[in-house]
Amino acid sequence: MQLYNKLSAKERAALIDEAGKDRITISFYQYHKIENPQLFRDKLFLEWHMLDVLGRTYVSFEGINAQLSVPSENFLALKDQLDAISFLKGIRLNVAIEHYNKSFLKLKIKVRDKIVADGLDDKTFDVTAKGVHVNAKVFNTMLEDSNTICIDMRNHYESEIGHFDGAITPDVDTFRDSLDIIEEELKSNKNDKNLLMYCTGGIRCEKASAYYKHKGFQNVFQLEGGIIEYTRQVKSEGLENKFIGKNFVFDHRRAEKISEDVIANCHQCGSPCDNHVNCANEACHLLFIQCTDCSEKMENTCSSECQEVIQLSYEQQKALRKGKQASNKIFKKGRSEKLKFKK
C-alpha cells in the first residue's frame, strides 16, 4: 500500500507533459479538532493518489492546510471526496488565478503539531473563536474607513512584491513573529479601531483573528478566502481592485499577478522587478528578487561566491555541502548581506 511519493520531480514533470491534460491549482484549509492526524493523513494520501493529486498538505490536531494540483477531469471527484468528510463538506476551494500544470510535482502530506506554526503554548486559546469574515466588497469599504487598521499577516518577502493599498506590512520572517509585534503596536486601539487582516488564502489571518480576540481586541475582521478569493470576487463582480502588485504563492509559480504595478526592485541592481528566484547554488538556495539582466550576469546566483561554486563539478559541490546546513539563509528569505537593494 503506497503511502508516500515514489517519483522524482523530474519524472513527475515528464509524466505531466506526456499526459497532456490540464490541471487546476487549488487550496483550502479548515481548523477542526482531528483526533488521529496520522490516520487521517494516510486516508487522504490513498484517496488523492488515486486521483493523481499533487501538492503540499499539513494535517494536525487543529485541522488541515492544503495546496494542491489536480487534473481538471478529476476536480469534481476530489470535491466529492472532501464533501464525504464531515468537517470539510462544502469547503470553499480557492482556485488559482493563473493556471500552471506543474505548480506541484509531488504529493506530500505531512503530520505537524500545528497547521500554522504560531509559537504559542496557551491552553486557553481557542483557534475556532475567530473574527468576522468579510467579502471583497465589504473589505474595500472598510479600507476606506479612517477607523480601520489594515494588517498584512504575511511575511516580508510576500508583502514586498504586493499588498493592499494603505496596509501595515510588518517586517517579519514568520507568522509567529508578527503576533506579538502587532499586539504591542496596536494595544492602545483594542476598543476603538477595526482590526482588519488579510493573508494569501485566509488561514493565517483566521488564526490571528482568534488570537487577537483572545487578547482583548473588540472589533476583529478578516478577508474571507484571502487575496486569492478577493481577486476572484473583484473580477466576477466588477469591483475596484485595491491590491497592488503580485500575490506570492507557495508553489512553483511563486506569484500571481493581481495588478500591473511593480512595487519591488531587483535585490542586486535595484531596477524595478518582482520576480522571485532561488539561488542556483544548492548549498545556498536563497529566495530573492532578481531581474533578467542580473540573472544572466550572475548565472542565477545571489552572489559572486555562489557563482564561483556553481562552476565546480557536481561532485565538488556535493563535497562542499556535506555536513553543512543552509537553513538560516533559506529561513531568512530575501535577507543576505550580499543583496544590496533589499528593502
Side-chain angles (χ1 to χ4, degrees), residues 25-38:
T25 302
I26 63 173
S27 62
F28 69 89
Y29 73 90
Q30 185 69 285
Y31 286 103
H32 180 83
K33 186 176 181 180
I34 298 176
E35 296 293 342
N36 191 329
Q38 185 63 51

Side-chain angles (χ1 to χ4, degrees), residues 37 48 68 82 105 170 183 263 277 290 296-297 313:
W48 290 357
L68 307 174
L82 297 177
L105 297 174
E183 183 188 4
I263 66 172
V277 299
Q290 185 180 56
E296 294 179 357
K297 177 183 177 181
S313 68

Side-chain angles (χ1 to χ4, degrees), residues 49-71:
H49 177 69
M50 295 295 291
L51 295 178
D52 193 23
V53 172
L54 304 174
R56 183 189 305 111
T57 297
Y58 299 132
V59 175
S60 80
F61 290 103
E62 70 174 9
I64 179 173
N65 177 20
Q67 295 90 40
L68 307 174
S69 168
V70 58

Side-chain angles (χ1 to χ4, degrees), residues 2 168 258 310:
Q2 182 176 337
I168 295 174
I258 309 299
I310 67 169

Side-chain angles (χ1 to χ4, degrees), residues 2 4-19 23 52 54 101-102 104-107 252:
Q2 182 176 337
Y4 59 92
N5 181 79
K6 292 184 177 180
L7 297 177
S8 68
K10 184 176 181 180
E11 290 171 326
R12 177 63 68 178
L15 287 178
I16 291 174
D17 288 336
E18 184 180 330
R23 301 180 67 92
D52 193 23
L54 304 174
N101 287 342
K102 298 175 185 175
F104 291 103
L105 297 174
K106 292 185 178 182
L107 176 57
H252 289 292

Side-chain angles (χ1 to χ4, degrees), residues 218-277:
Q218 298 300 305
N219 308 302
V220 183
F221 303 84
Q222 72 169 97
L223 177 59
E224 183 174 11
I227 301 164
I228 297 173
E229 177 63 12
Y230 173 88
T231 305
R232 188 196 68 78
Q233 291 180 19
V234 162
K235 291 182 177 180
S236 65
E237 300 175 24
L239 303 175
E240 179 185 359
N241 173 38
K242 292 183 177 292
F243 188 93
I244 53 176
K246 285 182 175 180
N247 179 28
F248 187 96
V249 294
F250 295 88
D251 58 54
H252 289 292
R253 295 171 299 152
R254 292 199 177 94
E256 296 180 323
K257 181 178 289 188
I258 309 299
S259 78
E260 295 302 319
D261 305 276
V262 178
I263 66 172
N265 54 273
C266 174
H267 287 164
Q268 291 175 315
C269 73
S271 63
C273 179
D274 54 11
N275 181 43
H276 274 108
V277 299

Side-chain angles (χ1 to χ4, degrees), residues 313-329:
S313 68
Y314 172 77
E315 290 302 323
Q316 288 175 311
Q317 291 185 50
K318 187 176 179 181
L320 286 176
R321 294 198 299 268
K322 187 175 181 180
K324 296 181 179 180
Q325 295 293 329
S327 59
N328 185 55
K329 283 188 176 181

Side-chain angles (χ1 to χ4, degrees), residues 18-248:
E18 184 180 330
K21 297 179 180 179
D22 287 334
R23 301 180 67 92
I24 300 174
T25 302
I26 63 173
S27 62
F28 69 89
Y29 73 90
Q30 185 69 285
Y31 286 103
H32 180 83
K33 186 176 181 180
I34 298 176
E35 296 293 342
N36 191 329
Q38 185 63 51
L39 184 63
F40 184 60
R41 177 265 174 206
D42 292 347
K43 166 186 164 61
L44 291 180
F45 194 100
L46 289 172
E47 293 182 347
W48 290 357
H49 177 69
M50 295 295 291
L51 295 178
D52 193 23
V53 172
L54 304 174
R56 183 189 305 111
T57 297
Y58 299 132
V59 175
S60 80
F61 290 103
E62 70 174 9
I64 179 173
N65 177 20
Q67 295 90 40
L68 307 174
S69 168
V70 58
S72 299
E73 62 186 17
N74 292 342
F75 177 75
L76 292 180
L78 173 63
K79 191 175 184 307
D80 287 342
Q81 284 185 355
L82 297 177
D83 284 341
I85 301 170
S86 60
F87 73 92
L88 295 180
K89 184 175 177 60
I91 190 77
R92 182 192 64 251
L93 302 178
N94 285 331
V95 179
I97 300 161
E98 299 174 357
H99 292 299
Y100 178 50
N101 287 342
K102 298 175 185 175
S103 57
F104 291 103
L105 297 174
K106 292 185 178 182
L107 176 57
K108 295 181 179 180
I109 308 179
K110 298 183 178 181
V111 174
R112 293 281 181 87
D113 290 336
K114 298 182 179 182
I115 54 175
V116 175
D118 53 30
L120 301 176
D121 186 22
D122 184 348
K123 304 301 182 184
T124 67
F125 171 50
D126 180 4
V127 71
T128 64
K130 59 193 176 186
V132 179
H133 284 202
V134 298
N135 59 24
K137 185 176 181 179
V138 175
F139 186 85
N140 280 356
T141 300
M142 292 190 70
L143 278 181
E144 297 173 355
D145 187 345
S146 60
N147 201 47
T148 295
I149 300 175
C150 183
I151 305 289
D152 191 323
M153 293 306 302
R154 302 172 303 154
N155 303 325
H156 71 91
Y157 57 91
E158 299 171 81
S159 59
E160 183 177 6
I161 63 171
H163 54 76
F164 280 103
D165 190 22
I168 295 174
T169 56
D171 184 26
V172 295
D173 293 313
T174 67
F175 173 74
R176 72 185 67 177
D177 292 336
S178 64
L179 293 177
D180 290 340
I181 291 174
I182 293 171
E183 183 188 4
E184 177 63 26
E185 185 173 335
L186 303 180
K187 62 183 180 182
S188 62
N189 301 120
K190 287 186 176 183
N191 297 313
D192 62 340
K193 294 288 186 179
N194 295 321
L195 182 58
L196 179 63
M197 294 173 288
Y198 70 89
C199 58
T200 309
I203 187 171
R204 283 178 281 183
C205 51
E206 181 152 324
K207 174 172 277 193
S209 73
Y211 176 76
Y212 291 123
K213 284 184 63 180
H214 178 66
K215 287 295 184 176
F217 285 82
Q218 298 300 305
N219 308 302
V220 183
F221 303 84
Q222 72 169 97
L223 177 59
E224 183 174 11
I227 301 164
I228 297 173
E229 177 63 12
Y230 173 88
T231 305
R232 188 196 68 78
Q233 291 180 19
V234 162
K235 291 182 177 180
S236 65
E237 300 175 24
L239 303 175
E240 179 185 359
N241 173 38
K242 292 183 177 292
F243 188 93
I244 53 176
K246 285 182 175 180
N247 179 28
F248 187 96

